[in-house]
Amino acid sequence: MNNKYIFHSSCFDKELFRKQIIILNENTIKYKIIEISGKSQFRALLSGYFEVEIHILEKDFEKVNELLNSIND
């Protein structure tokens, strides 16, 4: 089976990311997470950053778009 995932959004806030994952899991949506975060250095803990990309299965994209946009409103 050839599942095609489509990029939905990037997230830079850990709390918002947690809320999004909870909604996706509650609605049994298939997704992939790609982490792009930079690691912080030992002497400069704030030098790192948090970024993840959420990729959604193509057939669920419209449903997910409505669900995740409802968080931002």
Side-chain angles (χ1 to χ4, degrees), residues 49-66:
Y49 62 93
F50 176 78
E51 180 182 358
V52 292
E53 291 182 351
I54 299 174
H55 294 257
I56 305 297
L57 196 60
E58 186 176 27
K59 67 179 182 130
D60 295 331
F61 191 81
E62 293 298 323
K63 179 180 177 183
V64 169
N65 199 29
E66 291 177 18

Side-chain angles (χ1 to χ4, degrees), residues 1-6 32 55-60:
M1 200 149 129
N2 195 5
N3 293 333
K4 185 174 180 183
Y5 288 88
I6 299 174
K32 284 197 308 189
H55 294 257
I56 305 297
L57 196 60
E58 186 176 27
K59 67 179 182 130
D60 295 331

